[in-house]
Amino acid sequence: MTTWTPTSPLAKLVYVAGFLYDPSQDIIYSRMDALQRNLGYAYAYDAAALLMDTVIDCEPIFFTGQGKMWMVELWKGQYGLETGCEIGVYNRPAQNPPIYYPLLDAVVGTRPYDPAHGYFYQSADTADMLQMSFTLNRNGTPLFTRGPELHWWLTGFKWGVYSTPDQLTMDIAISLPAADMHAGFIAALSAMGYTYKDDGVTVSFTFAAPFAPQPWTGSPGLAPAQAMQQAIVATYDAFNLPNNDPNQVPAAVAAQIESAVMAKAPNFIGALLATALRNAGQTATAVATLIATELGAAAQAVTTWITTAGYDIVSWVESVYAAFAQIFTMNFSTAVEVVNLPYGGVAASDLTFVSLGINTHLGIDCGTFMVTPPAVIPAGTIGRFYLKDNLGPLGSEGWATYSYVNAQGNTATVTFTFGCPTGFSSNYVQCDQPGFAIYAKSGTTGGWGSQGSVPGSGHPLYAAYVWAQGPAPL
């Protein structure tokens, strides 16, 4: 496969979302090291697909072998802008699973139509990957092919093509060299009603109409999702681009399709998991410990998911230390929240990171960014970052700059400046653009103060910058 390197902002977004581009077939496909790997899979993820304007057939295949419970799941359909398909390989111990599995089973694993398989599964590790291949056909005509390749998540997606799931079929081949796994897999296929070819190792079959009930069946969200899909595909196709290389997509087009390319992105799945755990009564610290420490997800990503799950900034700070497995220092730190939500009839704008800095006194840096400012704080979301104090005579003082499109349609920049110093210096929270309201509180004060009011003392410092002069965060 031809090597491809992301260079444009859109291409980097595609890469961060866990995907690469194959110029030979003009498709997007999943990376081996995609962040999704640490999040495993469960029924709740399929059930939430419509929330991302994704309409897909889901076909889980359950079997046992090698002392594990396995799920090989197949997907095909429309993912916002793209027609595509996937094969995912997941498992869990058949006996004595980790102690946190029952919680995950309960919050995301419950399968209403099949309680016997209501479990959370982790993505196959390197030793458990399977050799797989498929050809995706649209109305009987091959659209693209992947594999054979040893993988845990073999995928392919074609931008600018609209399909309903029933228009698509997958010709699949999966190799299972372990005898008990092979026997379990073909037994599961037979029980589901599939016909297949089998050479003793590789099993070949076609995925057309799914046998499993589909979570989108009868949903009032189906028609709006399909309308949105058709609209974004039509918009994209109207630009008549020569190919789907994300590096070559003009900025004006990229801005219109950004949300559509995020279907199946780790932030959606991660936030879904964090929110389910929060709804189950788990603290932010417990969620961070489970997802970052037990499941092994990247700590920086986990802090974003906890924000999206709705935890307040005080709880969020505690979760940051749990995610990074660090203990508090003197805690003259600064936690920053950027509330990029529409307010008062003023639409929000994507905030794109430009630069950051840490103030220096006496030749010493005032802190370390434990959570760096997000690369993008999309319109309609909240972004957070955290400047931790260093052990020593100074606290935390720094700044971060973002670009955005203002109400006049011009590109502008905003710099958020903040500090929680030690000694006799006062806390401060500043902004160089009047379009953002400022709120602050400290560890020794109660809730957020009035707009523009900053407690002169107390630590740690919490700073909030709110788009369009909106109200203080909850």
Side-chain angles (χ1 to χ4, degrees):
M1 189 173 294
T2 305
T3 300
W4 175 80
T5 302
T7 56
S8 72
L10 177 63
K12 292 177 181 178
L13 181 65
V14 168
Y15 183 85
V16 169
F19 301 94
L20 297 168
Y21 171 69
D22 174 14
S24 66
Q25 297 193 84
D26 197 31
I27 62 172
I28 306 298
Y29 66 98
S30 52
R31 291 163 42 196
M32 183 70 73
D33 61 344
L35 288 178
Q36 289 90 328
R37 191 170 191 176
N38 294 101
L39 297 174
Y41 218 81
Y43 177 77
Y45 301 174
D46 287 339
L50 277 179
L51 297 177
M52 287 292 285
D53 297 319
T54 297
V55 181
I56 50 177
D57 282 338
C58 312
E59 188 81 307
I61 303 167
F62 303 102
F63 59 101
T64 60
Q66 300 295 292
K68 297 178 180 179
M69 300 164 56
W70 295 78
M71 179 180 73
V72 170
E73 184 151 3
L74 318 174
W75 298 271
K76 61 180 176 69
Q78 191 68 20
Y79 302 74
L81 175 67
E82 55 201 16
T83 285
C85 63
E86 317 164 63
I87 308 175
V89 182
Y90 310 92
N91 60 31
R92 59 185 278 151
Q95 302 291 332
N96 301 317
I99 60 172
Y100 55 86
Y101 267 42
L103 173 61
L104 293 175
D105 294 343
V107 300
V108 293
T110 302
R111 194 173 290 269
Y113 69 89
D114 186 8
H117 295 112
Y119 295 113
F120 169 84
Y121 295 83
Q122 286 192 285
S123 305
D125 61 23
T126 301
D128 286 339
M129 294 192 301
L130 301 178
Q131 180 165 284
M132 304 180 287
S133 64
F134 65 74
T135 295
L136 180 66
N137 307 291
R138 185 179 186 275
N139 294 330
T141 301
L143 194 59
F144 55 81
T145 297
R146 289 295 319 280
E149 185 175 347
L150 200 64
H151 218 299
W152 66 276
W153 185 34
L154 192 69
T155 72
F157 306 93
K158 187 84 168 180
W159 287 7
V161 176
Y162 175 75
S163 309
T164 55
D166 60 294
Q167 290 179 285
L168 305 173
T169 60
M170 292 174 70
D171 296 327
I172 298 168
I174 302 177
S175 297
L176 302 101
D180 59 345
M181 286 179 60
H182 180 271
F185 185 73
I186 61 175
L189 286 181
S190 297
M192 294 171 73
Y194 278 97
T195 58
Y196 54 86
K197 294 180 180 179
D198 177 20
D199 66 6
V201 173
T202 301
V203 182
S204 303
F205 61 102
T206 297
F207 173 35
F211 290 95
Q214 298 305 299
W216 49 261
T217 301
S219 170
L222 177 60
Q226 290 182 316
M228 179 66 74
Q229 293 170 345
Q230 293 176 68
I232 193 65
V233 168
T235 298
Y236 180 80
D237 288 347
F239 286 98
N240 294 312
L241 301 177
N243 56 51
N244 291 319
D245 185 346
N247 285 323
Q248 305 302 319
V249 175
V253 185
Q256 297 187 53
I257 68 172
E258 180 179 295
S259 61
V261 304
M262 295 303 288
K264 304 293 286 188
N267 280 349
F268 175 70
I269 298 297
L272 174 66
L273 179 56
T275 300
L277 290 166
R278 181 176 187 263
N279 291 341
Q282 298 296 301
T283 67
T285 298
V287 173
T289 300
L290 194 159
I291 301 179
T293 304
E294 302 292 353
L295 298 183
Q300 179 90 18
V302 173
T303 65
T304 299
W305 305 335
I306 290 174
T307 296
T308 307
Y311 289 99
D312 67 27
I313 196 168
V314 176
S315 298
W316 178 83
V317 168
E318 296 171 354
S319 76
V320 165
Y321 280 85
F324 283 87
Q326 293 190 25
I327 61 173
F328 284 91
T329 54
M330 294 171 64
N331 205 24
F332 282 83
S333 301
T334 305
V336 179
E337 179 166 272
V338 180
V339 181
N340 192 22
L341 304 177
Y343 181 73
V346 181
S349 168
D350 289 350
L351 298 173
T352 303
F353 174 76
V354 176
S355 61
L356 59 77
I358 298 172
N359 293 348
T360 301
H361 295 309
L362 305 175
I364 303 172
D365 287 337
C366 296
T368 302
F369 276 101
M370 190 169 175
V371 178
T372 57
V376 178
I377 304 175
T381 69
I382 295 172
R384 287 175 178 158
F385 44 100
Y386 186 69
L387 182 61
K388 181 177 72 70
D389 62 301
N390 298 327
L391 281 172
L394 304 174
S396 59
E397 300 183 61
W399 49 268
T401 299
Y402 280 83
S403 66
Y404 66 101
V405 177
N406 62 21
Q408 290 71 46
N410 300 316
T411 299
T413 61
V414 56
T415 297
F416 307 119
T417 307
F418 40 84
C420 182
T422 60
F424 297 102
S425 299
S426 298
N427 296 332
Y428 58 90
V429 180
Q430 301 165 354
C431 178
D432 65 354
Q433 287 287 359
F436 292 82
I438 291 174
Y439 299 93
K441 62 181 178 179
S442 75
T444 54
T445 62
W448 298 101
S450 59
Q451 183 174 330
S453 175
V454 180
S457 61
H459 59 90
L461 176 66
Y462 302 96
Y465 299 92
V466 182
W467 171 260
Q469 295 291 315
L474 297 176

